[in-house]
Amino acid sequence: MSSVHFENVSKHFGNVVALADLDLHVESGEFVSLLGPSGSGKSTTLNLLAGLLDADEGAIRIGERVVNHVSPDKRDIAMVFQSYALYPHMTVFENIAFPLKARRSRVPKKEIEERVTAVGEILGVEALLHRYPKELSGGQQQRVALGRAMVRDPKVFLLDEPLSNLDARLRIRMRRDLKALHDRIASTIIYVTHDQAEALSMSTRIAVFDRGRLQQFGTPFEIYNRPANTFVANFVGEREIVFFEATARVDGDSLAIETEAETLPVAGKLPGAQRLTGHRATFGLRAESLRLADETEGTIPAVVSEVEPAGPDIIVFATTAGGLDLSCRVDGGTAIARGSPVRLAIVPDRLLAFDRETGAAIAVHG
Amino acid sequence: MSGAPSWRARRRTRLVTGAVVNTAIILFALFPILWGLSTSFKPADEILRFPPELIPSNPTLENYALLFRTGIERFVLNSTIVSVAAVVGSLAIGSLAAYAMARLAFRGRTTLMFAVVALMSIPLPSLLVPTFTFLANLGLINSRTGLALLYTAYQLPIVVWILYGYFLSLPIELENAARIDGYSRLETLWKIVLPLSGPGLVASGLFVLTFAWNDFVVAVVMISSEDYKTLPVAIYGYLGFYGREWGPLTASAILSIIPVIAVFVVFQRFFLGGMTSGGVKS
Ligand SMILES: Nc1ncnc2c1ncn2[C@@H]1O[C@H](COP(=O)(O)OP(=O)(O)OP(=O)(O)O)[C@@H](O)[C@H]1O
Ligand SMILES: [Mg+2]
């Protein structure tokens, strides 16, 4: 296993900037997800690292070795493709054994047999080894594709949306299996996804991309709770975040948010509130940023407009006196009806604030 | 109330008409061959008898026996050697060229592609004189090697064109996967691309085969020695040598058709697609 470094790497396709000035340093043994909407440059990043594309500018390193001009077969990486890319004319066994039979790897025949069988058992495809890819279900094909990568001992694993075609259940199981695999072999994994739940649940760190630019590189906690800008804040989170522009009224380390129509108190202390002084800010509130409160002091009166069951929780949509539509996640056992008045409290730790011009986060949490 | 039966009757009429028309077309197309087949089994004195009969009343193998007495196997062997060499040569060179054009970005690729298409449209007779001089300079005139090389050269553009189109239709992820699995480009071509290109290889191979096997013009110009004559040239010999030898002539023509038909029958399953199904999810 190895570390992976992108140093000021750019890639253009004609006029399209697929990747702009990427600086990304992945440490050895990390599980890093590349997260972003369609066309944001995730696959481009992966293909550059695999050697399937050539960078226009910048250096790409695997460990200490600059690989810009090293062909894919000499980079010692394993990759699982978005489309699986199983060799249709080979059995499952031959597919998994294929990397071991390459001239470079020189694995003895007996060992090939052992390793393929072992991988087949781990992935639960040991009974299918003699079948051809077209005789497998989507989930089985996907596991064979994983097996072909696992059977090697590469410097880096690259996975391009490997779970995107599985049903929801299998997907969640495979997520756990992948994480377990990473824990066991402790190899460097770079994982492309546009499913934030996958990224948040498996990664040691997440790189969020938008339109070819790296927006933020951080732990799942940081990405979710301390998004670097409005794009990241909006992109992660199960539901849309509520953004509104307002002026901050700072008093020591406590804060009130003044919109044109009303003043929203923030119940509790915000250590970095001072940084808002003089800023015209955009505030962001997720469903988790609010809670239902009993007290009247420091809370916001609102009227319930909609109640939406969401698995174990319910999401309460409520409109404030000033006409701001907020949502709040509460326990599924809460009895609440449309039209009833409630009081909402802003959870200080979950309040997000951004510069109105640049969209960059303001560190209100200290 | 009589709607359904009349609909069925009409359907039957249509099927019957279709069958009759198809049979007529097939008979029309195959008649010369059937007639040749029939003639090849007739004794010499019955061939031109009137009224002609399609099923010979006194069938004989004499015409075929004569062919083998006069050593036709030598010409069959010559034709086989030259055709197989041309097929192998044009597929080997053609697949490398086609792969390069399909997958490698290099300067002049478009120009080269146009050149290939342009080459296909040059009529063969106009090439006879220059290629004859060329072969003579190489000292390859009147040799099977020279003939095989010429067939390869004549047929290379069409082979490149067919394989180029076929390679483009293969999912590129398979090749990328093989590269990452540790295989060089050439190994990837050999282990992944070619095994999945069965239909393209068979189609272009049959092109070369039928051309090389049936060619008369090039062979008659390039080969003068009896030892290296190919089958079509030898067959032509029966037209003039002992006067009109219809029996041996038709027998040799039938003999020359059989291998081509056999090859087509063996390889026809490759024309049914689906070789790459299950490889990449769509
Ligand atoms: N071969 C190519 N030719 C031209 N443009 C390309 C090519 N490959 C990618 N692009 C462009 O580069 C940009 C980034 O593409 P990329 O495939 O990296 O996106 P992605 O983040 O992987 O998206 P997705 O989630 O849809 O897979 C897109 O605008 C895309 O249209
Ligand atoms: Mg992609």
Side-chain angles (χ1 to χ4, degrees):
Chain A
M1 59 181 192
S2 275
S3 57
V4 167
H5 307 269
F6 288 84
E7 284 155 10
N8 308 102
V9 173
S10 298
K11 179 69 189 173
H12 303 249
F13 293 105
N15 288 331
V16 181
V17 181
L19 203 60
D21 203 22
L22 175 65
D23 233 345
L24 184 68
H25 299 273
V26 176
E27 275 158 38
S28 182
E30 266 198 287
F31 190 132
V32 167
S33 291
L34 311 183
L35 179 65
S38 194
S40 56
K42 310 181 294 291
S43 295
T44 303
T45 307
L46 216 57
N47 290 337
L48 283 168
L49 184 56
L52 302 174
L53 291 174
D54 284 327
D56 296 338
E57 283 162 42
I60 301 170
R61 284 193 290 123
I62 297 177
E64 288 308 307
R65 183 180 180 211
V66 176
V67 294
N68 285 51
H69 299 291
V70 177
S71 72
D73 50 318
K74 304 201 179 85
R75 290 196 184 191
D76 197 11
I77 45 181
M79 183 159 173
V80 178
F81 287 80
Q82 201 161 353
S83 61
Y84 307 157
L86 299 180
Y87 309 122
H89 57 303
M90 299 182 195
T91 62
V92 169
F93 182 95
E94 290 165 332
N95 262 282
I96 299 178
F98 194 66
L100 300 180
K101 289 182 183 161
R103 204 144 33 92
R104 299 172 37 78
S105 51
R106 284 201 210 91
V107 183
K109 200 154 182 244
K110 195 158 170 304
E111 195 190 328
I112 292 183
E113 199 130 320
E114 288 164 8
R115 277 164 76 172
V116 173
T117 315
V119 166
E121 269 163 24
I122 292 171
L123 293 173
V125 294
E126 70 270 32
L128 311 170
L129 289 176
H130 59 279
R131 291 213 203 160
Y132 284 90
K134 64 164 176 273
E135 299 164 348
L136 304 178
S137 73
Q140 292 165 338
Q141 290 180 346
Q142 196 272 327
R143 276 176 281 165
V144 175
L146 267 175
R148 199 171 61 192
M150 274 169 56
V151 79
R152 302 170 54 187
D153 186 19
K155 292 214 168 74
V156 192
F157 279 100
L158 308 181
L159 301 119
D160 195 350
E161 307 210 24
L163 308 187
S164 57
N165 254 30
L166 305 183
D167 64 57
R169 271 283 176 80
L170 193 52
R171 195 134 117 192
I172 289 171
R173 217 195 84 198
M174 288 304 302
R175 250 189 235 167
R176 280 221 319 276
D177 291 356
L178 270 178
K179 201 162 154 56
L181 174 74
H182 177 243
D183 292 344
R184 192 169 60 242
I185 61 183
S187 56
T188 313
I189 296 184
I190 299 186
Y191 185 97
V192 165
T193 180
H194 58 235
D195 181 341
Q196 46 165 315
E198 275 176 19
L200 291 168
S201 63
M202 294 192 292
S203 323
T204 54
R205 281 194 289 174
I206 300 173
V208 183
F209 286 80
D210 182 37
R211 279 171 284 161
R213 287 189 181 277
L214 179 62
Q215 304 292 319
Q216 187 175 2
F217 185 40
T219 63
F221 176 87
E222 287 165 349
I223 297 288
Y224 192 84
N225 297 294
R226 304 288 180 261
N229 55 39
T230 47
F231 173 82
V232 178
N234 198 26
F235 189 73
V236 297
E238 201 178 312
R239 306 166 174 272
E240 267 184 40
I241 192 166
V242 176
F243 286 118
F244 57 96
E245 298 186 348
T247 316
R249 215 178 56 216
V250 187
D251 179 11
D253 53 4
S254 66
L255 169 72
I257 299 168
E258 261 178 12
T259 69
E260 274 165 19
E262 63 195 316
T263 299
L264 309 174
V266 178
K269 308 252 172 265
L270 213 53
Q274 292 298 342
R275 297 201 174 87
L276 285 168
T277 319
H279 257 295
R280 294 166 58 75
T282 300
F283 290 90
L285 291 173
R286 290 212 178 94
E288 298 83 0
S289 308
L290 294 160
R291 60 180 169 81
L292 285 186
D294 299 324
E295 69 271 21
T296 50
E297 190 62 21
T299 58
I300 309 157
V303 177
V304 176
S305 59
E306 192 81 59
V307 178
E308 182 189 302
D313 299 331
I314 50 183
I315 307 293
V316 176
F317 293 88
T319 310
T320 65
L324 194 61
D325 288 313
L326 299 174
S327 63
C328 171
R329 183 183 287 274
V330 301
D331 185 82
T334 316
I336 199 156
R338 194 188 301 182
S340 52
V342 289
R343 297 199 72 94
L344 301 171
I346 294 176
V347 182
D349 194 47
R350 298 267 164 93
L351 172 70
L352 304 175
F354 305 93
D355 184 278
R356 197 188 296 185
E357 264 78 49
T358 63
I362 299 167
V364 290
H365 303 286
Chain B
M1 68 184 189
S2 65
S6 93
W7 174 79
R8 231 175 254 151
R10 242 182 295 147
R11 201 171 96 107
R12 201 166 54 224
T13 321
R14 216 176 41 227
L15 282 178
V16 170
T17 322
V20 168
V21 171
N22 285 340
T23 313
I25 292 174
I26 290 169
L27 281 180
F28 184 75
L30 288 185
F31 183 75
I33 294 173
L34 286 177
W35 188 249
L37 187 65
S38 151
T39 305
S40 72
F41 288 110
K42 287 177 187 170
D45 55 340
E46 286 183 16
I47 288 177
L48 295 175
R49 196 162 67 192
F50 195 85
E53 43 187 12
L54 191 58
I55 313 277
S57 42
N58 304 305
T60 169
L61 285 174
E62 175 51 29
N63 294 322
Y64 291 92
L66 178 86
L67 290 182
F68 286 101
R69 278 204 301 279
T70 53
I72 194 169
E73 26 344 325
R74 190 172 66 221
F75 308 123
V76 174
L77 184 68
N78 285 340
S79 268
T80 308
I81 291 173
V82 170
S83 304
V84 169
V87 169
V88 171
S90 56
L91 289 188
I93 303 171
S95 56
L96 286 170
Y99 183 72
M101 292 212 242
R103 295 297 194 220
L104 305 181
F106 56 90
R107 280 168 70 99
R109 178 165 72 161
T110 323
T111 322
L112 201 60
M113 211 60 235
F114 277 121
V116 167
V117 179
L119 283 176
M120 279 194 289
S121 57
I122 298 179
L124 185 56
S126 69
L127 290 174
L128 280 179
V129 175
T131 43
F132 182 87
T133 325
F134 185 54
L135 266 203
N137 286 341
L138 290 174
L140 288 174
I141 214 75
N142 201 25
S143 76
R144 288 176 296 213
T145 314
L147 202 55
L149 284 177
L150 271 192
Y151 290 159
T152 303
Y154 288 148
Q155 293 298 293
L156 207 47
I158 184 95
V159 170
V160 170
W161 185 250
I162 293 175
L163 288 180
Y164 168 77
Y166 202 86
F167 290 167
L168 280 186
S169 76
L170 294 176
I172 196 163
E173 282 101 333
L174 295 179
E175 292 158 51
N176 289 342
R179 297 299 311 282
I180 289 174
D181 281 347
Y183 291 81
S184 70
R185 271 211 186 273
L186 221 53
E187 290 170 321
T188 301
L189 175 65
W190 184 246
K191 293 207 148 73
I192 304 294
V193 177
L194 289 182
L196 295 175
S197 299
L201 290 171
V202 167
S204 49
L206 286 178
F207 251 98
V208 181
L209 180 73
T210 45
F211 175 83
W213 185 264
N214 292 332
D215 167 72
F216 171 77
V217 182
V218 183
V220 86
V221 172
M222 306 295 163
I223 305 284
S224 52
S225 145
E226 194 69 12
D227 287 346
Y228 301 136
K229 264 187 189 164
T230 57
L231 197 52
V233 180
I235 294 172
Y236 183 71
Y238 292 106
L239 258 185
F241 214 65
Y242 314 101
R244 286 282 186 273
E245 297 275 9
W246 289 114
L249 180 69
T250 50
S252 57
I254 295 298
L255 270 190
S256 82
I257 292 173
I258 290 171
V260 178
I261 294 179
V263 169
F264 266 88
V265 168
V266 168
F267 284 106
Q268 69 172 352
R269 68 189 180 90
F270 280 97
F271 288 116
L272 312 170
M275 292 211 65
T276 59
S277 64
V280 293
K281 83 187 175 198
S282 37

